[in-house]
Amino acid sequence: MKIVKSIKDLSVYRKNKFVSFVPTMGALHEGHLALVREGLNCADICIPYIFLNPKQFAPHEDLEAYPKTLEADLEKLEKTGAQAVYLPDADEIYPDGFSTSVKVSGISEMLEGEFRPHFFDGVATIVTKMLLQCLPDIALFGEKDYQQLLVIKKLVSDLNIPVDVKGVPTMRDENGLALSSRNAYLNEEQYQIACHLNRILSDISKGKINENRGREALLEAGFDKVDYCTVRDAQTLLPPDENTTERRVLAAAFIGTTRLIDNLAMSQ
Ligand code: AMP
């Protein structure tokens, strides 16, 4: 597997190939690898990208603690069949004097945007840079970060970036917990609490309980704080109205200092 470190080498490597691109922050798990597998299915070459982007963490968040497992990540990517990995240094991405920010209004200002106001500008800026650096034919993102997927689709459409953005379903463990690099922060007791998140979202998605009851159920299950637990229009993320054809239930909640997010399509 080729390790590409610079923008120049990346553009030389991808030339004349039909390429898919999988951006990640490392600490790779089966969810990331599902994106790579799908990338290999739909393109000749899949290039995952590992960069722990400081711009999408606020000063009080977990940038320092975020798991860093580069050697194991490279091994997993190689085993999965990725032909190359893009592994730029921070100054390749943010050289001295870097002063541009990409902001997607509207869809990035609610839900995650309300509770992590720095987050989507950081994501939109890095994703725009990455897409322009690689100009992949296809870029894959997980539905696990459903709002992020919509923000990226919007920026690609608004800026006419010539790439097809593809969402990949969420990979879960045997207890239904969405795989996440942040699950590594959970001890056994916290893990048991975390597993209720999918169960409660599933009850909401099937209409067994409403979103308010879902929020209470999360607190009763042991979550310490619920940022949101809400049913939204799956395209706009606004509260559903008479034009809504598809709905999605989305939640973010804390166990101690660990913040978990998850979402499901509503089945009715
Ligand atoms: P991250 O490294 O957490 O920024 O995630 C990189 C990409 O992997 C994003 O597009 C995520 O949505 C996706 N991803 C993370 N966890 C999962 C999962 N459990 N299933 C599918 N995709 C995921």
Side-chain angles (χ1 to χ4, degrees):
M1 185 175 65
K2 185 169 172 56
I3 295 184
V4 181
K5 300 281 288 184
S6 70
I7 300 168
K8 191 163 161 271
D9 287 353
L10 182 67
S11 62
V12 170
Y13 179 77
R14 65 91 53 236
K15 212 172 179 187
N16 299 327
K17 298 181 178 96
F18 191 78
V19 166
S20 64
F21 202 45
V22 175
T24 81
M25 297 201 297
L28 301 185
H29 50 64
E30 277 300 314
H32 298 114
L33 300 181
L35 267 62
V36 174
R37 287 192 191 100
E38 183 57 28
L40 286 165
N41 271 342
C42 60
D44 300 333
I45 300 274
C46 177
I47 310 179
Y49 164 101
I50 300 178
F51 182 66
L52 188 51
N53 177 27
K55 288 201 190 297
Q56 62 195 68
F57 290 79
H60 65 278
E61 291 185 336
D62 58 340
L63 176 62
E64 287 306 316
Y66 200 84
K68 296 161 190 87
T69 56
L70 183 58
E71 241 175 75
D73 290 350
L74 295 179
E75 222 171 276
K76 288 176 189 172
L77 291 176
E78 180 135 45
K79 270 198 192 140
T80 307
Q83 293 89 345
V85 55
Y86 183 37
L87 210 60
D89 292 328
D91 40 349
E92 185 77 6
I93 301 295
Y94 300 121
D96 268 355
F98 182 87
S99 61
T100 297
S101 172
V102 178
K103 180 175 182 58
V104 182
S105 302
I107 194 136
S108 73
E109 290 166 324
M110 55 188 94
L111 303 174
E112 287 300 287
E114 189 184 332
F115 291 93
R116 303 183 69 201
H118 57 283
F119 176 67
F120 281 124
D121 291 359
V123 169
T125 304
I126 188 104
V127 169
T128 304
K129 274 185 72 90
M130 289 174 338
L131 294 178
L132 295 175
Q133 285 170 14
C134 181
L135 286 179
D137 299 282
I138 298 168
L140 297 110
F141 296 87
E143 287 182 356
K144 155 82 171 35
D145 300 279
Y146 187 78
Q147 187 177 6
Q148 171 175 285
L149 174 63
L150 294 187
V151 167
I152 290 164
K153 283 187 170 169
K154 184 79 171 89
L155 87 82
V156 160
S157 153
D158 283 356
L159 299 180
N160 303 112
I161 301 177
V163 58
D164 181 12
V165 174
K166 215 168 150 39
V168 176
T170 303
M171 289 283 288
R172 300 178 179 280
D173 73 8
E174 63 280 12
N175 296 311
L177 179 65
L179 299 181
S180 162
S181 308
R182 289 190 167 98
N183 293 351
Y185 301 148
L186 302 171
N187 63 30
E188 181 51 36
E189 190 189 338
Q190 293 173 324
Y191 171 82
Q192 296 302 336
I193 296 170
C195 292
H196 288 280
L197 179 55
N198 174 248
R199 183 182 59 73
I200 291 165
L201 291 186
S202 173
D203 283 351
I204 298 173
S205 76
K206 292 175 186 144
K208 289 187 186 166
I209 57 174
N210 68 20
E211 54 201 330
N212 294 331
R213 176 66 200 122
R215 170 185 285 269
E216 284 169 8
L218 286 168
L219 294 169
E220 284 163 17
F223 280 87
D224 294 298
K225 184 158 98 75
V226 178
D227 277 351
Y228 56 85
C229 174
T230 184
V231 175
R232 295 293 172 100
D233 181 295
Q235 304 305 324
T236 63
L237 293 186
L238 292 168
D241 62 18
E242 67 282 2
N243 298 318
T244 298
T245 53
E246 267 176 88
R247 292 175 303 152
R248 197 106 191 162
V249 55
L250 307 103
F254 280 89
I255 305 173
T257 54
T258 303
R259 187 173 185 276
L260 300 179
I261 62 171
D262 200 354
N263 67 88
L264 284 177
M266 295 285 288
S267 51
Q268 49 172 356

